[in-house]
Amino acid sequence: MREKTKEGKAGQKPRKIRRKELAENIRRHKGLFLLYTVLRALVILVMIAQILNRNYENVFLCVLTLLLFTLPSAVEIRMEIDIPAGMQAIILLFIFAAEILGEINKYYLIFPEWDTMLHTLNGFLAAAIGFALVDLLNRSERFSFKLSPLFVVLVAFCFSMTIGVFWEFFEYFMDISFGLDMQKDTVIHRISSVMLNSTGANRPEAIRNITSTAVNGQELGLGGYLDIGLIDTMGDLFVNFIGAVTFSVIGYGYLKYQGRRNRIVRELIPTWRGEEELTVQEKEPAGGEDADGK
């Protein structure tokens, strides 16, 4: 009974071993640990400032960011996979850019393309996660099925687009339920709608060169017509599509043309822990330690 208590639940490693693995991971990726330390320190400084300003919503965002920072290492240790340092760095920077710079420092308002950049990166990362989920199972000895490279990247692409759609669902729900503006509005100068057809026919009528809009008789001063969220949503899904396609192409080349030899690609593809060493051993000439058979 005592031994069971030390080891914890079945399939879980003792806490001492997990701490040792975490320390080893830090030693192997000193640059990544430095980035993690700097970003974490910046988040803590921002959180202190928000506490002093009594802006507790932003304090919550800071706490959430600190928790999200720990996810890559936690996944590595618990699932016994190796997330490359390059991919972990992208994830950390994405979290920091979205929560701290985007929300708290208002980069979404200061830089109009900030949201577009993050949605593109989100499509790329979500495709990477979907790719890893299938590819790791595909190469595991515990499973008998083997999927073609095209099918693996198709699943990764669909996974990324599904994540993007669900995020837009979330934005719409928050806007409708809590009066937020996550689906940002766009000022346009032309609309086309069947509701403008005075005859009631199912034929759209267009209004061009719109320079002003009034609501309840009050001029809004927008210089055009206010599109409520549609253009922003479709733009987000389109750039998510671009990110997903980009990673899918990289993933396909990785599987089809043995991209494991490409160092840049290896920095984006998670693997089973120790798999790289096994792959090197498998590529050695049969019958001996070297090409001469000695």
Side-chain angles (χ1 to χ4, degrees):
M1 288 294 292
R2 192 170 184 179
E3 203 59 30
K4 272 187 179 179
T5 305
K6 285 184 178 179
E7 293 183 2
K9 296 179 181 179
Q12 290 187 358
K13 295 182 179 179
R15 190 172 299 175
K16 287 184 178 179
I17 295 179
R18 292 204 300 268
R19 284 201 298 264
K20 185 177 179 181
E21 289 180 348
L22 180 60
E24 177 63 26
N25 192 35
I26 292 172
R27 282 194 294 269
R28 286 191 295 118
H29 305 299
K30 293 181 179 179
L32 177 64
F33 179 70
L34 177 61
L35 175 65
Y36 172 80
T37 303
V38 170
L39 292 180
R40 187 179 177 86
L42 290 174
V43 173
I44 292 174
L45 290 175
V46 171
M47 183 168 63
I48 293 173
Q50 298 306 314
I51 292 174
L52 294 176
N53 293 331
R54 297 185 179 181
N55 193 333
Y56 299 113
E57 181 180 348
N58 286 345
V59 173
F60 169 77
L61 288 177
C62 291
V63 173
L64 177 62
T65 301
L66 294 175
L67 291 175
L68 291 175
F69 277 172
T70 65
L71 279 182
S73 295
V75 170
E76 274 194 316
I77 294 171
R78 290 192 174 274
M79 297 186 63
E80 295 188 354
I81 63 175
D82 182 25
I83 303 177
M87 176 58 74
Q88 290 197 53
I90 293 174
I91 294 173
L92 294 177
L93 291 171
F94 174 81
I95 296 170
F96 185 80
E99 301 297 337
I100 304 303
L101 298 180
E103 293 290 348
I104 297 178
N105 288 347
K106 301 179 181 179
Y107 274 34
Y108 290 127
L109 299 178
I110 299 173
F111 304 103
E113 301 305 321
W114 191 260
D115 185 60
T116 300
M117 177 196 72
L118 291 180
H119 275 282
T120 307
L121 189 55
N122 177 73
F124 185 89
L125 289 175
I129 294 171
F131 179 93
L133 290 173
V134 180
D135 185 51
L136 290 174
L137 294 178
N138 206 29
R139 298 204 304 268
S140 174
E141 295 179 355
R142 291 176 289 181
F143 299 91
S144 58
F145 64 85
K146 297 296 177 184
L147 305 178
S148 69
L150 182 61
F151 188 83
V152 173
V153 298
L154 179 62
V155 172
F157 171 79
C158 292
F159 180 84
S160 175
M161 293 305 299
T162 302
I163 294 297
V165 169
F166 273 110
W167 178 255
E168 295 303 321
F169 285 170
F170 172 74
E171 288 189 346
Y172 175 77
F173 172 78
M174 297 300 289
D175 289 352
I176 293 297
S177 302
F178 300 100
L180 302 181
D181 186 25
M182 296 185 71
Q183 294 179 303
K184 296 296 186 289
D185 303 330
T186 306
V187 175
I188 57 178
H189 303 283
R190 172 180 173 175
I191 60 173
S192 181
S193 172
V194 296
M195 297 188 69
L196 298 175
N197 193 312
S198 59
T199 65
N202 188 23
R203 186 176 68 251
E205 293 287 338
I207 300 179
R208 299 176 177 85
N209 302 320
I210 301 174
T211 58
S212 64
T213 302
V215 175
N216 295 330
Q218 181 179 355
E219 173 62 42
L220 299 182
L222 298 174
Y225 178 79
L226 189 65
D227 170 79
I228 305 178
L230 176 62
I231 293 177
D232 177 75
T233 297
M234 297 309 298
D236 290 346
L237 290 176
F238 181 71
V239 296
N240 190 101
F241 168 83
I242 292 175
V245 168
T246 301
F247 188 89
S248 296
V249 171
I250 294 173
Y252 182 81
Y254 171 81
L255 295 176
K256 186 71 175 179
Y257 305 108
Q258 297 183 351
R260 294 172 181 82
R261 300 174 183 175
N262 189 317
R263 183 175 179 181
I264 296 177
V265 174
R266 287 205 311 269
E267 286 298 314
L268 301 174
I269 309 292
T271 58
W272 291 113
R273 186 161 294 172
E275 180 181 283
E276 187 173 338
E277 289 78 3
L278 291 175
T279 303
V280 171
Q281 292 175 10
E282 290 172 359
K283 290 180 180 177
E284 289 181 353
E289 295 287 319
D290 53 36
D292 297 329
K294 293 181 181 179

